[in-house]
Amino acid sequence: MRFSTLSLGALLLAASATPALADDAPTAPPPAFTVSGGATLISDYRFRGISQTDKKVALQGTFTIAHESGLYATVWGSTIDDYIANGSDQEVDLIAGYSKTINGIKLDGGVLYYYYPGGGHANTDFVEPYFDISKQFGPVNGKVTVNYAPKQKALSVGNGSESNVYLAGDAALAVPNTPFGFTAHLGHTFGPSYLSIGDNYTDWGLGGSYTWNHLTLGLSYVDTNKDSFITDQHGETRNISKGGVVVSLGAAF
């Protein structure tokens, strides 16, 4: 404290004789709404371990408005390859949720809508409610997530409708007093559905990051225990669920 060496009487006298200092003025309350966002250039957009860009570069962006009550809305988008959603080359995720921390445990839930503009007349869009619980353990944050997509035609691998469940665990370590961070991920998709490549499969990943100012450089390895092949317009066939290294550069604001 600025006046910790003064007696109480001297402190009162000084306060009555001099105007209030600028840093003694009442602090403005935090705004009710906060806005955040960012943009990322990534070498391969992997969704639950499966490449959405034919193992090519993707450009991604996000924008979030959050209220002090815990309510928030997010728009997230990425370029994708046309085999994902009947010719669409974009994925736009519209998210509405609510988060609250109780005794150091953060609860977060909401609804995620996957929108694929330019997908023709095919039924490619779908809805997926989600819930996750996370807690900080020193420099490590642990999180468990469950996503449940109810029966929808967009998830069907044939006629009719299918549902899908995704269960995942994540750990993130922010190394104290350094710009380095590390992550670990393990997830399992329960099918059968379009998202599970027709059946259950597991995905996992390990990553590291370096943050400077508003920029973050990331490097990770992503893999699955499932094979998913596509054939491009040149007749070349590739396994888009095979393990690989992903590099990213993101900017936050």
Side-chain angles (χ1 to χ4, degrees):
M1 184 173 178
R2 184 189 300 271
F3 301 111
S4 58
T5 59
L6 298 179
S7 67
L8 178 59
L11 186 59
L12 293 175
L13 179 61
S16 62
T18 59
L21 298 176
D23 55 5
D24 292 329
T27 302
F33 288 92
T34 57
V35 177
S36 60
T40 301
L41 183 66
I42 190 166
S43 63
D44 183 10
Y45 167 28
R46 294 283 186 125
F47 177 76
R48 299 172 186 173
I50 301 174
S51 177
Q52 309 292 288
T53 52
D54 196 11
K55 297 189 174 181
K56 299 175 184 176
V57 173
L59 181 61
Q60 303 173 340
T62 186
F63 180 82
T64 296
I65 299 177
H67 187 259
E68 60 184 358
S69 65
L71 292 170
Y72 62 88
T74 297
V75 177
W76 182 92
S78 177
T79 55
I80 60 174
D81 203 273
D82 58 9
Y83 61 82
I84 296 299
N86 194 45
S88 175
D89 58 5
Q90 300 173 58
E91 175 189 329
V92 179
D93 298 350
L94 306 175
I95 307 167
Y98 174 78
S99 67
K100 185 176 182 63
T101 301
I102 303 175
N103 296 327
I105 299 176
K106 183 178 180 180
L107 307 175
D108 190 349
V111 178
L112 198 160
Y113 180 74
Y114 296 85
Y115 171 54
Y116 299 94
H121 298 292
N123 194 340
T124 57
D125 304 344
F126 65 98
V127 175
E128 187 180 63
Y130 63 90
F131 176 77
D132 65 61
I133 179 170
S134 61
K135 182 175 174 56
Q136 196 74 28
F137 301 92
V140 178
N141 182 271
K143 182 172 71 171
V144 176
T145 303
V146 59
N147 293 55
Y148 170 66
K151 285 188 175 182
Q152 298 163 77
K153 289 184 178 180
L155 304 183
S156 175
V157 291
N159 296 322
S161 301
E162 300 291 351
S163 62
N164 192 86
V165 175
Y166 183 67
L167 181 63
D170 291 271
L173 166 65
V175 182
N177 304 315
T178 77
F180 294 99
F182 298 93
T183 59
H185 168 84
L186 177 65
H188 188 80
T189 301
F190 299 85
S193 76
Y194 180 76
L195 294 180
S196 63
I197 330 174
D199 202 354
N200 301 338
Y201 80 96
T202 300
D203 71 280
W204 60 89
L206 293 172
S209 65
Y210 176 87
T211 299
W212 177 78
N213 203 346
H214 296 285
L215 298 177
T216 298
L217 177 66
L219 178 68
S220 62
Y221 178 82
V222 182
D223 202 355
T224 76
N225 66 343
K226 188 78 171 180
D227 290 328
S228 180
F229 296 95
I230 65 160
T231 302
D232 63 20
Q233 63 269 30
H234 304 295
E236 183 178 350
T237 300
R238 281 184 294 279
N239 185 356
I240 58 174
S241 59
K242 185 178 179 180
V245 174
V246 177
V247 181
S248 64
L249 178 63
F253 63 85

